[in-house]
Amino acid sequence: MASDHEQNRPPSVGKVGRSSGEISSEHQPLINGTHSSESYSVSSAILPFLFPAFGGLLYGYDIGATSCATISIESATLSGISWYDLSSVEIGLITSGSLYGALIGSVLAFTIADFLGRRRELITASILYLVGALVTALSPNLAVMVIGRFVYGIGIGLAMHSAPIYIAETAPSQIRGQLISLKEFFIVLGMVAGYGIGSLLVETVAGWRYMYGASTPLAVITGIGMWWLPASPRWLLLRAIQGKGNMQELRETAICCLCRLRGQYISESASEQVDEILTELSYVGEEKEATLGELFHGKCLKALIIGAGLVLFQQITGQPSVLYYAASIFQSAGFSAASDATRVSILLGLLKLIMTGVAVVVVDRLGRRPLLLGGVSVMVSPFTFIICTKAEILS
């Protein structure tokens, strides 16, 4: 007797033979990425992108705000606290507290993401953003402040995992790539906002509290927005394929969610698109899962080395540290006034914003590899100049 899972499967969801390894013609368009053209309303596609992108903006804001807050909190006259005389290690804990939290959040995301779903994961991240920001802003001592930074960081880890997935799964295929790239733009936009607000508040008594507290309204908006948005249709159908719900009910829910995400233009083809997603997920479900050991052999090993190497060298250049300590670095470089150092930090953020915008516009035309090689070359040039200049001085 066929299982309930097989009985509830729509006619369009066929099985793929494992023995022959052949793919029927109905699967080939999906494998080749040539889905039928999707109808959608531009206005309906904005909010499903905007609210998840706010999660990235809050991450970027934390970088910019922390850069300015570390100057404010060390000021004897403007910090508004008695424990302002902090060591470099303690300042490092304040700065990196969110990063430690993000690490834990990223690990948690692997275990709870499929259970919660992308939407609820983003709602959870918004709550953590809100709690972390409030605890940090109202902290009576260093220990509580670091805890608040850690909680905020867990929100970062969850948001950075779920936001791009939700955008990718809900965006129309014609603009999916641009929207995912724009999410990165929002992160840098958040940095500029953090530097800007920090510059305005750096000479205010207890200004660091306001810098961190300023992110709470956006955290609330993000949470309410994600609560209002529908769940990802693809996630709902994945639950159906995995036998974690009634196939027919989840399929109908997915159709309703897809109609909300695309607007009135998709009403007639929503059922067909949902069946296409079901077919694709069924085919993927038939694939044999790779073991951990297979990652370290053949082509998988090469891809692992390239992927991990890119992440490693991006961090090892010190670029993230420069962003977190931008105001302090400029202050040490000669901009002694806190307001001057933070204003120059805004220029750094604006330059990064402009170049990120350029990358978003040209990435599909030029390709990822040329942009990566060009970016690395630009990064290497100043380091080479500094090394040569230093060697010439020493000689």
Side-chain angles (χ1 to χ4, degrees):
M1 180 181 292
S3 66
D4 291 340
H5 172 56
E6 290 175 334
Q7 287 177 343
N8 290 330
R9 179 176 292 184
S12 60
V13 184
K15 290 246 183 193
V16 181
R18 296 186 186 183
S19 57
S20 64
E22 295 178 355
I23 303 173
S24 64
S25 59
E26 67 176 321
H27 289 93
Q28 286 184 347
L30 297 167
I31 303 303
N32 295 330
T34 57
H35 288 273
S36 58
S37 179
E38 298 180 26
S39 300
Y40 67 95
S41 165
V42 174
S43 58
S44 298
I46 292 175
L47 293 182
F49 159 76
L50 194 61
F51 289 124
F54 281 161
L57 191 146
L58 284 166
Y59 169 42
Y61 177 83
D62 180 71
I63 295 175
T66 299
S67 173
C68 302
T70 51
I71 291 181
S72 173
I73 203 170
E74 287 187 287
S75 172
T77 56
L78 297 176
S79 63
I81 54 176
S82 59
W83 40 279
Y84 63 86
D85 189 18
L86 301 173
S87 66
S88 57
V89 173
E90 290 170 327
I91 290 294
L93 280 174
I94 294 173
T95 303
S96 61
S98 62
L99 298 179
Y100 288 123
L103 176 63
I104 300 300
S106 299
V107 174
L108 286 174
F110 284 104
T111 58
I112 67 173
D114 285 339
F115 169 73
L116 287 179
R118 293 74 168 105
R119 173 176 164 269
R120 283 186 289 183
E121 188 178 354
L122 277 164
I123 293 173
T124 304
S126 301
I127 294 172
L128 291 169
Y129 274 143
L130 177 62
V131 173
L134 288 175
V135 171
T136 303
L138 301 174
S139 55
N141 53 55
L142 176 64
V144 175
M145 185 178 187
V146 172
I147 291 172
R149 300 284 297 133
F150 185 81
V151 172
Y152 193 97
I154 297 176
I156 292 174
L158 294 179
M160 291 303 96
H161 173 265
S162 53
I165 298 178
Y166 185 88
I167 294 171
E169 291 185 348
T170 59
S173 58
Q174 298 96 317
I175 57 174
R176 186 174 298 146
Q178 293 94 319
L179 292 182
I180 294 174
S181 298
L182 273 177
K183 195 271 296 182
E184 300 301 319
F185 183 83
F186 267 65
I187 295 177
V188 184
L189 184 63
M191 292 182 198
V192 176
Y195 289 134
I197 292 176
S199 177
L200 294 174
L201 298 172
V202 73
E203 293 186 337
T204 303
V205 176
W208 61 273
R209 295 187 186 274
Y210 301 114
M211 294 177 202
Y212 285 121
S215 64
T216 56
L218 190 58
V220 172
I221 291 172
T222 303
I224 293 174
M226 291 310 306
W227 175 79
W228 175 79
L229 286 173
S232 162
R234 190 179 182 88
W235 175 75
L236 290 170
L237 297 174
L238 180 62
R239 300 280 290 179
I241 291 293
Q242 293 172 340
K244 297 178 180 178
N246 181 273
M247 171 68 76
Q248 192 59 34
E249 289 180 3
L250 289 173
R251 180 177 177 276
E252 292 299 324
T253 304
I255 292 173
C256 293
C257 291
L258 192 61
C259 289
R260 285 186 60 190
L261 291 165
R262 296 287 194 276
Q264 59 181 347
Y265 300 98
I266 197 179
S267 56
E268 295 181 359
S269 60
S271 178
E272 179 184 344
Q273 290 192 29
V274 164
D275 285 343
E276 282 187 358
I277 297 173
L278 271 172
T279 305
E280 183 177 9
L281 290 174
S282 296
Y283 171 77
V284 174
E286 298 286 338
E287 290 288 286
K288 179 184 176 182
E289 291 188 8
T291 63
L292 183 62
E294 288 179 309
L295 287 175
F296 302 95
H297 297 284
K299 294 181 179 179
C300 290
L301 178 61
K302 181 180 179 181
L304 179 65
I305 292 174
I306 293 173
L310 288 174
V311 175
L312 172 65
F313 286 111
Q314 181 189 34
Q315 302 302 314
I316 213 169
T317 58
Q319 180 257 153
S321 299
V322 170
L323 296 174
Y324 270 108
Y325 289 98
S328 299
I329 292 172
F330 285 125
Q331 199 171 37
S332 302
F335 297 92
S336 55
S339 58
D340 292 337
T342 53
R343 288 193 189 103
V344 178
S345 300
I346 298 175
L347 296 178
L348 172 66
L350 285 173
L351 178 61
K352 186 175 177 65
L353 183 68
I354 292 170
M355 297 313 299
T356 303
V358 170
V360 169
V361 171
V362 304
V363 64
D364 287 333
R365 186 164 66 250
L366 296 182
R368 278 70 173 163
R369 188 168 180 270
L371 279 181
L372 178 63
L373 293 174
V376 170
S377 301
V378 173
M379 290 175 66
V380 168
S381 300
F383 287 124
T384 305
F385 175 77
I386 293 171
I387 292 172
C388 293
T389 304
K390 188 71 173 178
E392 186 177 344
I393 293 174
L394 292 175
S395 62

